[in-house]
Amino acid sequence: MRKNQDSLTAAGIAIARAVESEKPVAERICYDPYARRFVPSWMYRLMGFFIKSGYAELRGPGVNGFLVARERYIDEVLQQFLGEGLQQLVILGAGYDSRGYRFDLAERVKVFEVDYPVTQAEKVKRAQRIFHKLPEYITYVPVDFNIQTLSECLVSSGYDPHLLSLFIWQGVTMYLTLAGVDATLGYIVKNSAPGSAVVFDYLYQSVLEGTQKQNEISNMRRYRFMTGEGLTFGIPQGEAGAFLQAR
């Protein structure tokens, strides 16, 4: 990510949620009533048109479907944990994630949104405009992983390793190094109560290597000069279980 630029990828994902949320209840896969308000109107109109017209599907078959299905799946995991007495929610690389606002979390769950300082500052500014007052149960944790560690930033922000916690790590791992992924998983293993969990997505190693072609991956690499976000991490297909068990 560019040093002084908020995440264009985060905005694009919010737009995908917003377009899906406009569909009739019986047709939509996920629902986020705030997504559209987190992105500039011109950007929503432009990118929203690409999705609605079918051009996005033509350019990257299956990508938009993946984005909204991922959103729905993680929403359901969060809902499940809320039913099991969740006490802490940590959203890593929060971007314009709105789960802290659209789920009933007040007075029962401590929420920590962890993100790159520039993107988070823009998120906070837009959240204040939408909600007028930031929720007291949400703590915004700016982290520059080039010079800071998750451990020092979370603990100093009030994170309690003895509480039942869920870590949401959406759309992040593919931009990290293996060492970065290992460091985050290692922190979660050592600093969360029994029954805690992490839910995340990842790319297949074969897609990164180019042996399995995917149009959207090619597009993301082509426009890296705009986003500043390069793809660096993947797990071999069928080996995610072994990868996690070893950690």
Side-chain angles (χ1 to χ4, degrees), residues 105-119:
L105 305 177
E107 300 182 3
R108 60 172 176 160
V109 180
K110 296 168 63 177
V111 180
F112 298 88
E113 291 199 3
V114 181
D115 209 352
Y116 186 69
V118 176
T119 300

Side-chain angles (χ1 to χ4, degrees), residues 11-229:
I13 293 170
I15 290 169
R17 295 199 308 269
V19 171
E20 188 70 15
S21 298
E22 291 181 351
K23 295 180 180 179
V25 175
E27 296 179 18
R28 65 191 181 212
I29 293 173
C30 68
Y31 180 63
D32 182 347
Y34 305 117
R36 181 170 181 174
R37 300 177 68 185
F38 272 113
V39 295
S41 296
W42 70 266
M43 187 180 292
Y44 173 79
R45 288 194 295 270
L46 178 63
M47 295 182 66
F49 172 77
F50 286 147
I51 296 173
K52 295 174 185 178
S53 67
Y55 181 72
E57 182 67 18
L58 183 65
R59 292 272 294 176
V63 173
N64 197 68
F66 164 75
L67 293 178
V68 297
R70 177 181 68 179
E71 200 75 23
R72 169 70 172 266
Y73 177 78
I74 296 177
D75 281 357
E76 290 182 351
V77 170
L78 174 55
Q79 194 64 59
Q80 174 190 337
F81 271 80
L82 288 172
E84 296 174 1
L86 182 67
Q87 297 170 296
Q88 276 183 152
L89 174 64
V90 181
I91 306 176
L92 300 172
Y96 299 117
D97 188 301
S98 69
R99 293 184 176 94
Y101 314 100
R102 58 188 172 90
F103 278 80
D104 181 18
L105 305 177
E107 300 182 3
R108 60 172 176 160
V109 180
K110 296 168 63 177
V111 180
F112 298 88
E113 291 199 3
V114 181
D115 209 352
Y116 186 69
V118 176
T119 300
Q120 187 165 90
E122 187 63 29
K123 162 76 169 289
V124 169
K125 183 172 70 175
R126 296 179 190 181
Q128 288 175 319
R129 186 167 62 237
I130 295 168
F131 304 106
H132 307 297
K133 180 181 180 182
L134 297 176
E136 295 181 358
Y137 58 88
I138 297 181
T139 299
Y140 299 93
V141 186
V143 177
D144 183 345
F145 285 109
N146 291 317
I147 57 176
Q148 299 168 286
T149 65
L150 184 61
S151 177
E152 63 187 30
C153 295
L154 265 184
V155 172
S156 64
S157 297
Y159 173 79
D160 187 341
H162 302 101
L163 298 181
L164 179 65
S165 305
L166 174 65
F167 288 76
I168 292 178
W169 204 16
Q170 175 179 306
V172 177
T173 64
M174 57 284 297
Y175 301 110
L176 304 179
T177 62
L178 174 59
V181 171
D182 280 348
T184 300
L185 291 176
Y187 177 84
I188 294 171
V189 168
K190 297 174 183 176
N191 296 277
S192 53
S196 297
V198 55
V199 56
F200 69 98
D201 59 320
Y202 62 94
L203 293 179
Y204 289 146
Q205 186 67 39
S206 57
V207 173
L208 286 180
E209 294 172 346
T211 55
Q212 180 179 337
K213 301 298 182 182
Q214 216 294 333
N215 288 354
E216 185 63 12
I217 299 303
S218 299
N219 292 336
M220 290 175 74
R221 284 176 166 156
R222 184 177 300 116
Y223 298 115
R224 180 183 178 181
F225 74 95
M226 294 175 59
T227 66
E229 298 169 327

